[in-house]
C-alpha cells in the first residue's frame, strides 16, 4: 500500500495504490491523518491502483468521510476498480461516500 | 575443553623468541665487524712494531757505519804511525759502547817487515776494560778471512754474516769491514768494527705485540739471526724448518722475506691460524712478527662471552618480567571468563573482577557491567512481559470461550428446518457473529461481520449479538430489527466501528422469507433442483454508521427444500499464499456441486475444508463464518 498526497491550498490530490488490509490498516490511518485534520478540504482520492480493501480500510474511509463532513469539506473517490467498488456497494458505503 | 597453553605462555614465548633472534643477530653483526676491525688493527699494530724495531736496528748499524767512516781520514793521515793505529782503535771503542772490537788490518808488508800488522782493540769480557793487541798471527791468518777478503776484493764496505764469537763468550757478533784507500784509490788496509748482536736479539724478542706472538730475524740465506729459541740462532734456517714441517706457507714466507719484500701472510702453523707481518731490516736481513689469531681475538672472544652471558641473563630477567606482567594483565580476563561462564549458567549477578587500570581491560569490565545490567533488566522486563502475555493469553482464552458461548453451538432438530453454523476467528476472538431464534413458526437469524478483528471487534460483536437476541424476541420485521440494532450500536460509536448484517425471518410454514441486508455479502440460495444463485438484495448501509438510517427489507417465497448459505467475507476473501482470493466463483461452484441430500452441517464443514484446501498454510487473515439453513416440509 502506498499513499501519495499532493496539497495545493485546501485541495488535496491523493493517490492510493495497492491493498489496504489488516497488515497495513494502521499505516493507512496514519497516512491519511493529515486529511482528517484539514479544514474545509477538497479531497480527491485516485483509487485506480487500489487493489483491495478490508473492512478496516472501509472503517478508515468512513472515519475520513465523517471528519471531512465535520470540517465542511468534500471527499471524492475516483477511478475505482469494479471489484473494489463492489465492496463499497455491498456494505452500503457508496451511499455515504461519493465515488465517481 | 582443556586449555593447555595459557595466553601468557604463548605471548612470553613469542617475545622471548623474537628477542633472542634480535640478540643473536646483534651479537653476530657486532662480532663480524669487530672481528674484521680487530684483525686489521692487529696487522697494523704488528706492522708498526716491526717498523719501529727495524728503524732501531738500522739506526744502530748506521751509527757504526758513520763512526767508521769518520775514522777513514784520520787513519789515512797517520797510516805510518803504528802506535797511532792502536790509539785509533781504542778510541773507537771508547766512543762507541756497542762496538766490542775494532782492528785496522794492513796489507802484508805495508809497513816494511810487518806481515800481519793489524792493531786490534777489544773489550775484556765481563768488564769495561779495553785491551789492545796484534790481531794477525800465523795462527790467525786474516788474509784468508772473509771480513778481509770481501771488502778488499770489492773495494766496498762489508757486513759479515752474524757469527758466534768463539773467544768472547759465545756471543752473537757481526763485523763491519771498511776498505781504507790511499790517494791513488788503492786499498791499503781494512778497518773493522765488531758489533755484539745480543741487543739485537733482545730488541727483536721484545717485539711481542701479543702474548704468544714472536719475532724472527733472518739473514740472506734464511738462517735465524734472532729467534725465541736461542739454539736455533745460526744453527737453523727458516727454509729447512718449513721443509721439516712440510709447511708450504712457511716456505713461501721464507722466500718473500729473503727477497726483501714487505707484507702480511696468513697461514696455519702448528695447528694455529697465525699471521706474519714481515719486512726487510738493513740491506740483507728480514724480520717477521708471527702472531696467532687466537691471541688477537682472545679479548673479543672474552667480550662476546660476556655479552652472551649478559644477554642470557637479560633474557631470563625478561622472561620472568613478561610472565609476571602478562599474568597480572591477563588475570582479569581469566576472571572475566569465569564470570561469563557463570552468566551463561544464568547467574547474571556474578561479581566482576576489580579493575584499577584505565585500559582495554577496563573497557571489557565496563562492557561486562553494561551487559550484566542490560541482561538483568531485559530478563526482568521479559519476565514481566511474559507474565503480562500469559495473563492476556489466559484472558483472551476466557474471552474466546465466552464469545463462542455467545453464538449457539447446538442446533435443534426440527422437522421443518435444519441448521448448522461454524465460526472461526482469525485470532483468539473475532468480530464475526451468527445467531438464530425460533419463535412459533418463525425463524429469525442473523449473520454479521464487525469491521476489524480482535478484542475491539469482539466487543462490538457482543453488543450486536445481544441487541439481536433481545430484539428478535419480539416479532419485528427484519427492517425494523436492523434499524433498532443500528440505533443500539450507533450511539457512542466514537471509533466508527460498523457491522455488516444480514437479518432474515422465515415463516417455516409458508416459506415466506423476509430479509434485510445491511451492507453484508449476498447470501446464496440453493434450490432443490440443484441450481444456486446469489440473492442480490437491496444494499442498505452497514449498521453502526448512520444513526436513524432507514433500512429497507425485501421479501420472497422460498421453494420447498431450499437451502440457504449465509457467510461473511472471510469466506470469499480467504487468501492463499499468493494473495489470490477464494472468491465468489469458487463459492458458487461449491454450492452447485452440493447434492440434494446433503445436510447443512455437511455443507458448512465441506465449505470450510474447501477454504482450508485453497488457502493451504497461509495465515487466516479474517474471521470466517458459515451458516446454512435447510427448509423441510
Amino acid at each position: 500500500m502506498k499513499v501519495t498526497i499532493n496539497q495545493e491550498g485546501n485541495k488535496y490530490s491523493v493517490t492510493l495504490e495497492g491493498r489496504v488490509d489488516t497488515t497495513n490498516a494502521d499505516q493507512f490511518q496514519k497516512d491519511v491523518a493529515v486529511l482528517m485534520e484539514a479544514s474545509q478540504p477538497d479531497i480527491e482520492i485516485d483509487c485506480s491502483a487500489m487493489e483491495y480493501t478490508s473492512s478496516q480500510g472501509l472503517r478508515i474511509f468512513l472515519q475520513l468521510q465523517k471528519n471531512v463532513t465535520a470540517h465542511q469539506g468534500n471527499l471524492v473517490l475516483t477511478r475505482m476498480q469494479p471489484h473494489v467498488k463492489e465492496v463499497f456497494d455491498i456494505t452500503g458505503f457508496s451511499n455515504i461516500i461519493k465515488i465517481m | 575443553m582443556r586449555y593447555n597453553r595459557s595466553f601468557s605462555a604463548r605471548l612470553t614465548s613469542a617475545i622471548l623468541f623474537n628477542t633472542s633472534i634480535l640478540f643473536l643477530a646483534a651479537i653476530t653483526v657486532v662480532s663480524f665487524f669487530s672481528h674484521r676491525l680487530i684483525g686489521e688493527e692487529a696487522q697494523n699494530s704488528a706492522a708498526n712494531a716491526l717498523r719501529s724495531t727495524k728503524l732501531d736496528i738500522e739506526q744502530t748499524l748506521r751509527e757504526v757505519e758513520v763512526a767508521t767512516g769518520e775514522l777513514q781520514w784520520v787513519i789515512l793521515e797517520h797510516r805510518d804511525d803504528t802506535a797511532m793505529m792502536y790509539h785509533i782503535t781504542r778510541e773507537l771503542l771508547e766512543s762507541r759502547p756497542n762496538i766490542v772490537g775494532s782492528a785496522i788490518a794492513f796489507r802484508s808488508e805495508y809497513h816494511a817487515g810487518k806481515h800481519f800488522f793489524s792493531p786490534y782493540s777489544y773489550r775484556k769480557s765481563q768488564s769495561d776494560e779495553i785491551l789492545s793487541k796484534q790481531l794477525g798471527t800465523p795462527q790467525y791468518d786474516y788474509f784468508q778471512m772473509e771480513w778481509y777478503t770481501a771488502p778488499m776484493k770489492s773495494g766496498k764496505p762489508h757486513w759479515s754474516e752474524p757469527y758466534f764469537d768463539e773467544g768472547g763468550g759465545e756471543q752473537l757478533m757481526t763485523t763491519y769491514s771498511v776498505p781504507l784507500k790511499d790517494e791513488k784509490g788503492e786499498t791499503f788496509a781494512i778497518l773493522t768494527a765488531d758489533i755484539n748482536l745480543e741487543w739485537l736479539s733482545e730488541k727483536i724478542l721484545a717485539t711481542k705485540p701479543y702474548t704468544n706472538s714472536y719475532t724472527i730475524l733472518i739473514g740472506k740465506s734464511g738462517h735465524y739471526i734472532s729467534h725465541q729459541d736461542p739454539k736455533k740462532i745460526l744453527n737453523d734456517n727458516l727454509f729447512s724448518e718449513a721443509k721439516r714441517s712440510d709447511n708450504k706457507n712457511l716456505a713461501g714466507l721464507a722466500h718473500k722475506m729473503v727477497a726483501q719484500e714487505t707484507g702480511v701472510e696468513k697461514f696455519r702453523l702448528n695447528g694455529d691460524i697465525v699471521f706474519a707481518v714481515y719486512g726487510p731490516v738493513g740491506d740483507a736481513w728480514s724480520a717477521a712478527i708471527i702472531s696467532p689469531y687466537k691471541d688477537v681475538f682472545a679479548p673479543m672472544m672474552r667480550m662476546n662471552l660476556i655479552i652472551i652471558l649478559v644477554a642470557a641473563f637479560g633474557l631470563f630477567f625478561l622472561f620472568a618480567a613478561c610472565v609476571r606482567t602478562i599474568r597480572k594483565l591477563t588475570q582479569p580476563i581469566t576472571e572475566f571468563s569465569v564470570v561469563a561462564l557463570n552468566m551463561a549458567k544464568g547467574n547474571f549477578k556474578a561479581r566482576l573482577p576489580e579493575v584499577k587500570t584505565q585500559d582495554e581491560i577496563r573497557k571489557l569490565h565496563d562492557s561486562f557491567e553494561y551487559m550484566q545490567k542490560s541482561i538483568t533488566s531485559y530478563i526482568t522486563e521479559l519476565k514481566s512481559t511474559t507474565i503480562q502475555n500469559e495473563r492476556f493469553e489466559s484472558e483472551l482464552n476466557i474471552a474466546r470461550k465466552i464469545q463462542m458461548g455467545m453464538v449457539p453451538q447446538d442446533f435443534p432438530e426440527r422437522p421443518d428446518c435444519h441448521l448448522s453454523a461454524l465460526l472461526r476467528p482469525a485470532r483468539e476472538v473475532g468480530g464475526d457473529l451468527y445467531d438464530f431464534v425460533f419463535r412459533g413458526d418463525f425463524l429469525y437469524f442473523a449473520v454479521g461481520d464487525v469491521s476489524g478483528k480482535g478484542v475491539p471487534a469482539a466487543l462490538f460483536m457482543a453488543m450486536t449479538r445481544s441487541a439481536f437476541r433481545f430484539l428478535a424476541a419480539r416479532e419485528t420485521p427484519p427492517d425494523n430489527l436492523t434499524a433498532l440494532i443500528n440505533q443500539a450500536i450507533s450511539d457512542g460509536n466514537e471509533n466508527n466501528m460498523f457491522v455488516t448484517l444480514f437479518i432474515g425471518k422465515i415463516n417455516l410454514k409458508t416459506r415466506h422469507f423476509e430479509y434485510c441486508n445491511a451492507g453484508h455479502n449476498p447470501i446464496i440460495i440453493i434450490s432443490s433442483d440443484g441450481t444456486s444463485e446469489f440473492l442480490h438484495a437491496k444494499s442498505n448501509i452497514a449498521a453502526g454508521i448512520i444513526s436513524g438510517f432507514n433500512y429497507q427489507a425485501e421479501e420472497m417465497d422460498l421453494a420447498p427444500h431450499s437451502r440457504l448459505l449465509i457467510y461473511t467475507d472471510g469466506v470469499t476473501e480467504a487468501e492463499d499464499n499468493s494473495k489470490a482470493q477464494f472468491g465468489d466463483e469458487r463459492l458458487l461452484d461449491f454450492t452447485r456441486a452440493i447434492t440434494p441430500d446433503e445436510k447443512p452441517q455437511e455443507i458448512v464443514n465441506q465449505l470450510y475444508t474447501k477454504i482450508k484446501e485453497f488457502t493451504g498454510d497461509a495465515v487466516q487473515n479474517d474471521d470466517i463464518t458459515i451458516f446454512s439453513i435447510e427448509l423441510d416440509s
Side-chain angles (χ1 to χ4, degrees):
Chain A
M1 185 215 58
K2 190 183 165 197
V3 177
T4 316
I5 300 174
N6 282 311
Q7 184 191 357
E8 276 180 43
N10 65 342
K11 193 165 166 60
Y12 295 85
S13 301
V14 184
T15 51
L16 174 57
E17 296 164 66
R19 300 163 49 93
V20 183
D21 57 25
T22 317
T23 61
N24 55 29
D26 285 348
Q27 186 58 45
F28 181 47
Q29 173 122 37
K30 280 179 195 158
D31 288 346
V32 298
V34 62
L35 303 176
M36 306 257 191
E37 305 298 321
S39 170
Q40 295 184 319
D42 183 8
I43 305 168
E44 184 185 319
I45 302 179
D46 180 351
C47 299
S48 58
M50 178 181 175
E51 291 161 11
Y52 169 76
T53 179
S54 69
S55 56
Q56 278 122 312
L58 288 178
R59 192 178 69 81
I60 293 159
F61 276 112
L62 173 62
Q63 214 164 3
L64 181 59
Q65 179 63 60
K66 284 191 170 175
N67 276 286
V68 168
T69 308
H71 290 119
Q72 290 127 36
N74 187 30
L75 172 67
V76 187
L77 309 186
T78 61
R79 300 167 63 199
M80 194 177 277
Q81 293 181 39
H83 71 273
V84 180
K85 173 82 162 42
E86 197 186 336
V87 177
F88 280 78
D89 289 341
I90 288 173
T91 52
F93 273 62
S94 32
N95 295 331
I96 46 173
I97 298 174
K98 200 191 281 179
I99 301 174
M100 286 169 69
Chain B
M1 193 190 288
R2 289 181 59 225
Y3 304 96
N4 290 327
R5 297 192 63 199
S6 73
F7 180 66
S8 65
R10 272 190 300 158
L11 194 57
T12 309
S13 311
I15 290 173
L16 280 195
F17 179 73
N18 288 304
T19 314
S20 305
I21 295 224
L22 211 67
F23 265 133
L24 273 177
I27 292 171
T28 307
V29 169
V30 167
S31 271
F32 176 77
F33 284 107
S34 47
H35 190 275
R36 215 166 70 174
L37 207 67
I38 289 171
E40 283 168 8
E41 189 52 40
Q43 289 179 4
N44 284 341
S45 104
N48 281 338
L50 187 69
R51 199 171 304 123
S52 146
T53 305
K54 165 194 155 88
L55 288 177
D56 262 8
I57 294 170
E58 284 178 350
Q59 195 189 346
T60 309
L61 298 180
R62 202 63 57 210
E63 275 171 21
V64 173
E65 287 177 9
V66 169
T68 51
E70 282 168 355
L71 285 179
Q72 287 184 38
W73 302 107
V74 184
I75 296 169
L76 183 64
E77 205 169 315
H78 304 282
R79 62 192 171 206
D80 298 329
D81 183 347
T82 53
M84 186 65 179
M85 293 302 110
Y86 279 100
H87 181 68
I88 286 171
T89 56
R90 178 176 284 268
E91 272 202 338
L92 181 61
L93 260 64
E94 278 168 356
S95 65
R96 300 285 166 181
N98 54 353
I99 296 176
V100 295
S102 175
I104 304 170
F106 285 85
R107 295 171 81 104
S108 171
E109 298 299 327
Y110 187 79
H111 298 95
K114 291 184 173 170
H115 180 59
F116 286 120
F117 183 62
S118 48
Y120 173 57
S121 294
Y122 63 99
R123 292 179 202 278
K124 193 180 173 188
S125 64
Q126 315 290 331
S127 83
D128 290 337
E129 199 183 340
I130 296 168
L131 303 176
S132 296
K133 68 171 185 184
Q134 160 83 12
L135 183 64
T137 59
Q139 288 75 38
Y140 188 77
D141 180 2
Y142 61 79
F143 300 121
Q144 309 303 320
M145 300 289 175
E146 198 210 353
W147 59 262
Y148 179 86
T149 55
M152 189 59 82
K153 199 174 164 191
S154 67
K156 286 174 185 166
H158 172 79
W159 280 100
S160 78
E161 285 291 287
Y163 58 90
F164 285 112
D165 174 30
E166 284 158 18
E170 286 295 308
Q171 291 198 317
L172 189 69
M173 307 280 284
T174 184
T175 299
Y176 181 61
S177 317
V178 188
L180 301 171
K181 295 176 182 176
D182 59 17
E183 295 79 357
K184 292 173 193 156
E186 269 181 43
T187 306
F188 63 87
I190 301 296
L191 171 63
T192 70
D194 302 333
I195 298 135
N196 189 330
L197 288 182
E198 292 303 312
W199 60 270
L200 188 68
S201 236
E202 276 164 28
K203 200 172 267 302
I204 288 286
L205 292 180
T207 309
K208 199 174 168 68
Y210 298 100
T211 324
N212 291 305
S213 65
Y214 61 94
T215 308
I216 56 167
L217 183 68
I218 59 168
K220 273 178 201 163
S221 52
H223 56 266
Y224 296 117
I225 296 169
S226 175
H227 194 283
Q228 57 184 355
D229 179 2
K231 287 192 199 86
K232 288 191 173 179
I233 296 172
L234 295 189
N235 293 325
D236 205 348
N237 185 300
L238 190 54
F239 286 107
S240 32
E241 192 170 339
K243 204 167 187 177
R244 275 203 307 279
S245 59
D246 197 22
N247 192 329
K248 287 195 178 100
N249 291 312
L250 199 59
L253 176 68
H255 278 293
K256 285 181 177 159
M257 286 176 75
V258 168
Q260 296 272 287
E261 285 176 23
T262 304
V264 184
E265 289 289 309
K266 215 168 124 181
F267 54 93
R268 188 172 277 277
L269 182 65
N270 302 329
D272 288 332
I273 309 250
V274 301
F275 74 94
V277 177
Y278 58 91
V281 175
D283 300 326
W285 301 343
S286 184
I289 304 176
I290 295 165
S291 316
Y293 271 117
K294 66 176 182 193
D295 273 17
V296 173
F297 294 122
M300 197 187 93
M301 290 302 172
R302 268 200 305 278
M303 199 63 213
N304 278 356
L305 191 68
I306 289 169
I307 290 174
I308 287 168
L309 283 176
V310 168
F313 179 76
L315 283 177
F316 176 76
F317 183 78
L318 185 68
F319 174 77
C322 277
V323 168
R324 220 187 49 182
T325 310
I326 296 168
R327 281 235 178 103
K328 200 175 153 193
L329 287 178
T330 55
Q331 181 59 30
I333 296 182
T334 315
E335 290 170 21
F336 275 123
S337 71
V338 173
V339 172
L341 198 64
N342 272 330
M343 283 175 70
K345 285 175 182 166
N347 177 14
F348 299 107
K349 297 220 158 71
R351 224 167 72 82
L352 290 175
E354 252 181 61
V355 178
K356 292 190 181 109
T357 51
Q358 298 291 331
D359 52 9
E360 290 84 349
I361 301 289
R362 174 93 243 167
K363 277 190 199 165
L364 185 65
H365 175 274
D366 292 350
S367 304
F368 253 88
E369 202 173 47
Y370 180 75
M371 185 168 77
Q372 272 188 331
K373 278 183 188 157
S374 56
I375 288 184
T376 308
S377 94
Y378 177 72
I379 295 272
T380 312
E381 201 175 314
L382 196 66
K383 270 184 191 161
S384 101
T385 312
T386 308
I387 290 169
Q388 215 164 23
N389 281 347
E390 278 168 0
R391 211 178 64 215
F392 278 145
E393 217 166 295
S394 93
E395 282 179 2
L396 278 176
N397 278 331
I398 295 166
R400 180 189 174 88
K401 281 177 191 157
I402 293 171
Q403 187 174 41
M404 286 304 141
M406 288 170 83
V407 295
Q409 303 293 334
D410 295 324
F411 305 99
E413 283 299 319
R414 288 173 67 105
D416 52 356
C417 172
H418 307 290
L419 298 172
S420 188
L422 172 151
L423 196 164
R424 294 281 182 273
R427 300 180 189 164
E428 280 82 355
V429 291
D432 274 11
L433 67 108
Y434 68 85
D435 203 1
F436 58 87
V437 174
F438 286 101
R439 282 193 66 81
D441 293 335
F442 293 98
L443 164 66
Y444 287 85
F445 67 89
V447 171
D449 178 2
V450 178
S451 59
K453 288 194 289 281
V455 173
L459 290 172
F460 211 71
M461 169 267 183
M463 232 159 71
T464 310
R465 176 260 177 203
S466 300
F468 169 77
R469 180 148 294 196
F470 177 75
L471 294 165
R474 307 139 209 276
E475 292 172 46
T476 318
D479 45 0
N480 288 355
L481 200 48
T482 310
L484 287 169
I485 294 172
N486 179 47
Q487 200 63 49
I489 62 178
S490 295
D491 292 340
N493 182 13
E494 297 296 329
N495 273 319
N496 293 311
M497 305 277 289
F498 61 87
V499 56
T500 67
L501 279 174
F502 188 90
I503 308 280
K505 175 187 178 190
I506 303 173
N507 184 328
L508 296 172
K509 281 218 164 109
T510 60
R511 293 188 300 279
H512 187 66
F513 179 33
E514 291 171 73
Y515 56 91
C516 178
N517 185 346
H520 199 78
N521 295 60
I523 69 165
I524 297 175
I525 297 173
I526 307 159
S527 304
S528 53
D529 61 2
T531 61
S532 64
E533 54 188 18
F534 284 112
L535 173 64
H536 288 291
K538 178 176 170 51
S539 184
N540 294 289
I541 195 164
I545 296 171
I546 298 171
S547 175
F549 185 82
N550 183 22
Y551 285 92
Q552 291 180 14
E554 288 163 273
E555 55 191 322
M556 66 178 291
D557 286 315
L558 293 167
H561 296 293
S562 286
R563 283 172 288 189
L564 304 183
L565 183 66
I566 311 105
Y567 57 91
T568 58
D569 62 2
V571 172
T572 47
E573 291 175 9
E575 287 174 345
D576 65 8
N577 275 324
S578 66
K579 297 276 180 201
Q581 296 190 343
F582 190 72
D584 292 346
E585 283 311 309
R586 271 192 198 81
L587 182 59
L588 216 50
D589 286 348
F590 167 76
T591 56
R592 281 172 184 148
I594 293 171
T595 55
D597 58 328
E598 279 175 316
K599 295 291 163 200
Q601 192 183 354
E602 290 164 292
I603 294 171
V604 167
N605 289 336
Q606 280 172 16
L607 178 55
Y608 185 68
T609 308
K610 205 88 178 168
I611 294 165
K612 285 289 133 187
E613 277 169 12
F614 173 77
T615 57
D617 60 355
V619 178
Q620 184 185 336
N621 59 5
D622 203 357
D623 307 333
I624 292 172
T625 300
I626 307 166
F627 186 40
S628 181
I629 303 167
E630 183 185 13
L631 299 179
D632 216 335
S633 52

